[in-house]
Amino acid sequence: MAAMTRLFRSSSSSSALCFIQRSLSTAAATEFKSQSGPPRIDPKDRNVQWVFLGCPGVGKGTYASRLSALLGVPHIATGDLVREELSSSGSMSKQLADIVNQGKLVSDEIIINLLSKRLEVGEEKGESGFILDGFPRTVRQAEILNDVTDIDLVVNLKLPENVLLEKCLGRRICSQCGKNFNVASINVKGENGNRDISMAPLLPPSQCVSKLITRSDDTETIVKERLRIYNEKSQPVEDFYRAQGKLLEFDLPGGIPESWPKLLEALNLDENEDKLSATA
Ligand SMILES: Nc1ncnc2c1ncn2[C@@H]1O[C@H](COP(=O)(O)OP(=O)(O)O)[C@@H](O)[C@H]1O
């Protein structure tokens, strides 16, 4: 853990990003084989390459985007890439809508294609490092990622399932500014040794109130299906990274005010420090 958070160097690793992007493209077309493997870059010489895992509604997007701002690396959420594709008039959008609205996973090929395109755009802008949110979600995706680059740290965010459901049902997005809010006021009594969890709603400012929308896959039936699929397909990804010693388990103690400082502490980061001086 200590070594993993001592990586905040501003040196460019755009060639590394380009390599990942090209390798992911190859993987989308064929089963990627890495007999010799790509050249690995010492983590000290590049920005962080982190992954956020966790069930639907746990808050991966919230905490990954806060950390990306703090560390100066892009937050890349494959769910956002899917939604962008859905709202475009691209040929894939109808096919994707059917899958997403059933709470199912998009194929590994499609998701890797979307991700490699996103990395290519980032590479052109000179981005380096990343916090991935929502990828990898299957062991095959994790293996492909493992073949093309080194992941430094995998943060596994956790909340009890009844809290996750309430959070998903309360989630709202401003259709104009794109920010996420939550209208649910959560007070769940811990059972079977679990802790009590309280979360205040995260209400929108007045200019967003009339523009709030709910994700089409945030209905009770679809959320339950997404949770079932997470347990079936994505929990093995936790095991994959646990076996590599890269998994940091983090039980969220409540909403953002309680959880954010504790997460920074677990990551050995200080919000007030310059990112270059953050130490592990
Ligand atoms: N890595 C992935 N592999 C397959 N499908 C994905 C992946 N990432 C996102 N999706 C698709 O996009 C949908 C929304 O993803 P996301 O916003 O990450 O949702 P969640 O709130 O369930 O974590 C998923 O239900 C799935 O259909």
Side-chain angles (χ1 to χ4, degrees), residues 56 60 78-79 83 104 106 111 134 137 141 171 215 226:
K60 298 183 293 292
T78 45
R83 281 182 289 279
K104 306 265 184 279
V106 169
I111 213 77
R137 234 176 173 106
Q141 291 176 13
R171 190 149 63 175
R215 267 171 56 171
R226 281 156 58 206

Side-chain angles (χ1 to χ4, degrees), residues 29-65:
T30 57
E31 189 68 35
F32 186 78
K33 298 265 182 287
S34 71
Q35 298 307 3
S36 53
R40 302 286 168 157
I41 295 184
D42 191 324
K44 289 195 299 308
D45 298 328
R46 59 160 171 76
N47 277 336
V48 300
Q49 300 192 162
W50 288 0
V51 163
F52 266 67
L53 295 182
C55 286
V58 77
K60 298 183 293 292
T62 302
Y63 296 103
S65 84

Side-chain angles (χ1 to χ4, degrees), residues 54-58 60 77-80 82-83 96 99-101 103-108 111 133-138 141 168 171 215 217-218 226 230:
C55 286
V58 77
K60 298 183 293 292
T78 45
D80 289 347
V82 168
R83 281 182 289 279
L96 285 182
I99 300 169
V100 173
N101 288 331
K104 306 265 184 279
L105 291 185
V106 169
S107 75
D108 292 337
I111 213 77
D133 153 8
F135 185 95
R137 234 176 173 106
T138 63
Q141 291 176 13
C168 284
R171 190 149 63 175
R215 267 171 56 171
D217 57 347
D218 273 345
R226 281 156 58 206
Y230 184 90

Side-chain angles (χ1 to χ4, degrees), residues 24 27 31-32 112 139-149:
L24 283 174
E31 189 68 35
F32 186 78
I112 286 168
V139 169
R140 182 167 172 251
Q141 291 176 13
E143 285 168 351
I144 289 170
L145 190 63
N146 197 53
D147 281 343
V148 299
T149 195

